[in-house]
Amino acid sequence: MAAEVRGASAARAVLPPGRGRGSSVSSIVCYLTGLSHIDPVENDLFLGRFLNEELSALPDIDLDFPRDIREVLIPRVHGRYGHDRSGLVAAFATYHSRSAIRDFGKVLGIPAGEVERAARSAEPWGDDDVERHVGQAIGRRTDSPRWKALVRLVQDASHLPRHQTQHPGGMVISTQPLNRICPIQPAAMDGRQMVQWDKESCADVGFLKIDLLGLGMLSAVERCVDEIARVRDETIDLSRIDWDDKQVYSEIQAAETMGVFQIESRAQMQMLKRTLPESLDDLTVQVALVRPGPIQGGAVHPYIERRKALRADPTYRVPYEHPSLEPVLKDTLGAIVFQDQVIEVAMAFAGFTPGEAEGLRRAMSKKRSEAAMRSFAEKFVAGAVSRGASQEVAERVYDQIVGFSGFGFPKAHSAAFGLLAYQSTWLRVHFPAEFLCALLNEQPMGFYPPDTLVHEAQRRGIEVLAPDIRVSVADCRTEAGAVRVGLGYVKGVSGDDVRALVEERERAPFGSVEDLAARCRARADSLERLAWAGALDGLVEDGRREALWRLGVAAPGVRVVDGTQLALPIDVSAPELDELTPWERLLADYGSTNVTLRDHPIGLMRPSLDAHVLSSEALERCRDGELVRVAGMVVARQRPATANGITFMLLEDELGTINLIVPVKIYERHRLVVRSEPLVIADGKLERREGVTNILVSSLRRLDRPDLPVGEVRHIEPRRVWSNDEDTGNLRSVVPAAHSFGRRG
């Protein structure tokens, strides 16, 4: 069905319509029928999830598709199997502190601004210390009855159901009419329906569940291949590229992977410089390594150290807790990295049957039963001892797999994702402009906002051009090795207006702003937004202000049944207008497209910053252990559950990026700064290990300057174009929001 609906393009002529993920990749049947693109035998994948005589439940089949295919595939499944026998799976969202503060704050009539400030100060997932967090954000007003009631309600509502929603991609297909088995209801989108059971309930009743998931990187890869075909007249078949490309692995080992699938996060980048992957097998392990399971199970450090030892001495013998573990853990150097290794260890080391081993894996899920875990522990240790292991070793191995806790990738899943990681890196290395263009067109996706992707590409020598009404189309496109930002990137300009502009331009080029306003059918507000983004600069001599002025006096065309009735042009000379300052241009760029192509905020601030504030480039010349001060724009924040409360921040300045490690005490002391400030200045100690540079933060504050420019409202500049802040049009109101990751609790 995916092949039927995907349409024709250069990429889709050579790429599969979708790709398997999860344990389905290890199914021989899925591979032979085209549901998976990884040969499970050649890649030595564990087949026990499917070839198991004690199988009591059907494993899920997870499939990834480009986003546009998934949108039409779900209705096609309904059409093929019937609405009476297919439906989407439900999910039940529960209250956490932020959603509870917003909902109950509104009910209690607390001012919206105060509610939002309190919500942003709270932990996204953790519900502890709500009273303290709200108090830090609001102050003494929390002593009022309404605020006390809000705190109490938030605590009482924790983890209670908030609303029913739709599983990200799960569908069930039944041999019997669904309405005889479970309640069903129309989904939010037309032509779809949803069962009122979640995935656990569907599994309990024995439904076949297939996850049809939209993967942004698959869409980006297809876009990239299409763009290469358009610009270079060359069709790339990613299944036939060189899998041992030295340049690709050189970039991976240097952690030059921004925008690449799965290995672009700061944690992955820092790990890459230590593990130095050299093959697809190495990438398969790499993808799975930075996950809660391997981290909690203590697998990461042993794996890295053993790789280092093998590089230094190829005769080095990897230590194993017991000889029976060597065949199972050989690929991961004695560490438990993959989810299916839990099953294999239980079978090889403790003598479990495949069904018992699968039961252990399931028992270690998030909803594990303590009683079940105790019974498995006794059986595991007894089985290992009976097979020659000591009590101490048996307990230690069991502790490792319990620490893993099931929060890890199956090897099959990692193999599929590792392959896509390599393919995306290959495109980044050999077709950098086309790859950046594809990433920008598929936003939102990945670890970094578009602004950061653009700045990193510029540092690599890729030219990025502003939107231009004379040549731009809706999407970003490549032009002679450069990337041209599309008109669709300008906020507030509808797709219909962009199409109308491009269609009219293709009939005849626009000769002036007045000609544009008279001929096109776009809304006046859209034209103003395009002018403020600089897209009309090519039609005037003095830039954005002149373009806005001319739009204000131009006579617009009038829409009629057969098209646009042209107005008589008004020949008026524009007055002398001040040119935009660098600050004003930066504010306009961020406010209109969320991307600045010229000056960086920190670069403009640099002359007035303290001389001791170092740039990211200057940090490379500092010694390990040196006390430093840095400033930057916050790109990403991470507070993973496995880090014991430590927060990781990524800053960007005009020359590169800076990694901050914020200890728990510093986080609590500067909590609002860490969580909400877009521009910060940090003091700390520089740490450099194996090519990785971090700053262990000792203090953190918002970056302030007395002369920080404010985007004052001017009669000729429509404020709504570039600022969505009700109180101030300053840099903080338009700078791109940092991406936040991680879940506590």
Side-chain angles (χ1 to χ4, degrees), residues 455 459 600 602-603 606 615-618 652-657:
H455 294 163
R459 291 192 291 271
H600 192 280
I602 304 301
R606 183 72 64 188
S615 68
S616 56
E617 188 178 80
E652 181 189 70
D653 65 11
E654 72 275 27
L655 298 174
T657 56

Side-chain angles (χ1 to χ4, degrees), residues 639-679:
R639 199 166 187 235
T642 54
N644 298 318
I646 294 174
T647 302
F648 302 94
M649 299 177 69
L650 177 66
L651 306 187
E652 181 189 70
D653 65 11
E654 72 275 27
L655 298 174
T657 56
I658 303 167
N659 295 305
L660 302 185
I661 300 175
V662 184
V664 177
K665 289 183 179 179
I666 305 302
Y667 174 84
E668 293 298 336
R669 190 183 308 157
H670 306 287
R671 198 163 177 281
L672 290 179
V673 175
V674 174
R675 294 202 61 81
S676 59
E677 285 299 329
L679 300 161

Side-chain angles (χ1 to χ4, degrees), residues 78 83 86-92 163-166 178-179 182-197:
H78 282 314
H83 279 74
S86 63
L88 296 162
V89 177
F92 298 97
H163 64 275
Q164 179 179 308
T165 185
Q166 178 183 312
L178 285 172
N179 58 10
C182 64
I184 57 176
Q185 67 181 61
M189 297 182 68
D190 290 339
R192 305 183 184 191
Q193 68 179 26
M194 178 169 60
V195 300
Q196 293 183 355
W197 288 353

Side-chain angles (χ1 to χ4, degrees), residues 304-534:
I304 293 174
E305 292 304 313
R306 291 164 189 170
R307 275 193 68 86
K308 287 170 56 180
L310 281 171
R311 284 197 300 270
D313 178 11
T315 64
Y316 169 77
R317 289 188 59 82
V318 174
Y320 296 92
E321 295 283 3
H322 190 268
S324 64
L325 295 176
E326 182 171 356
V328 174
L329 303 180
K330 183 179 180 180
D331 292 343
T332 53
L333 307 182
I336 299 176
V337 173
F338 301 122
Q339 190 184 102
D340 33 16
Q341 285 179 321
V342 171
I343 298 175
E344 294 180 282
V345 166
M347 293 167 59
F349 181 64
F352 277 34
T353 66
E356 290 171 335
E358 175 64 16
L360 172 61
R361 187 194 66 82
R362 290 179 176 274
M364 292 192 308
S365 67
K366 286 187 289 187
K367 299 181 179 179
R368 59 182 171 186
S369 160
E370 292 300 325
M373 289 301 294
R374 280 196 301 272
S375 67
F376 276 118
E378 294 169 0
K379 184 176 181 61
F380 185 96
V381 172
V385 170
S386 70
R387 298 168 76 88
S390 68
Q391 181 87 9
E392 180 184 359
V393 168
E395 291 176 352
R396 187 160 61 240
V397 173
Y398 182 77
D399 289 342
Q400 289 175 8
I401 65 173
V402 169
F404 190 92
S405 298
F407 296 105
F409 285 162
K411 183 180 179 181
H413 182 84
S414 295
F417 275 19
L419 182 68
L420 186 53
Y422 182 90
Q423 290 171 329
S424 56
T425 309
W426 189 89
L427 290 171
R428 184 185 190 273
V429 168
H430 295 290
F431 302 95
E434 291 87 348
F435 185 64
L436 173 65
C437 183
L439 290 179
L440 294 178
N441 284 329
E442 278 303 319
Q443 295 296 315
M445 63 169 285
F447 192 85
Y448 303 95
D451 189 52
T452 303
L453 294 173
V454 166
H455 294 163
E456 190 268 346
Q458 289 174 325
R459 291 192 291 271
R460 287 189 286 133
I462 300 172
E463 186 179 8
V464 184
L465 306 172
D468 188 336
I469 194 70
R470 299 171 300 172
V471 294
S472 291
V473 293
D475 289 338
C476 301
R477 299 181 79 174
T478 54
E479 297 178 8
V483 176
R484 172 77 68 180
V485 177
L487 299 177
Y489 244 76
V490 180
K491 291 187 287 188
V493 179
S494 71
D496 289 340
D497 284 345
V498 171
R499 282 189 290 272
L501 285 164
V502 173
E503 288 172 5
E504 185 62 34
R505 185 188 69 206
E506 289 175 349
R507 278 193 280 270
F510 297 120
S512 65
V513 172
E514 291 79 6
D515 181 37
L516 168 67
R519 287 168 47 197
C520 77
R521 302 187 302 276
R523 295 175 295 121
D525 181 66
S526 292
L527 295 180
E528 290 177 354
R529 292 173 183 271
L530 289 168
W532 194 238

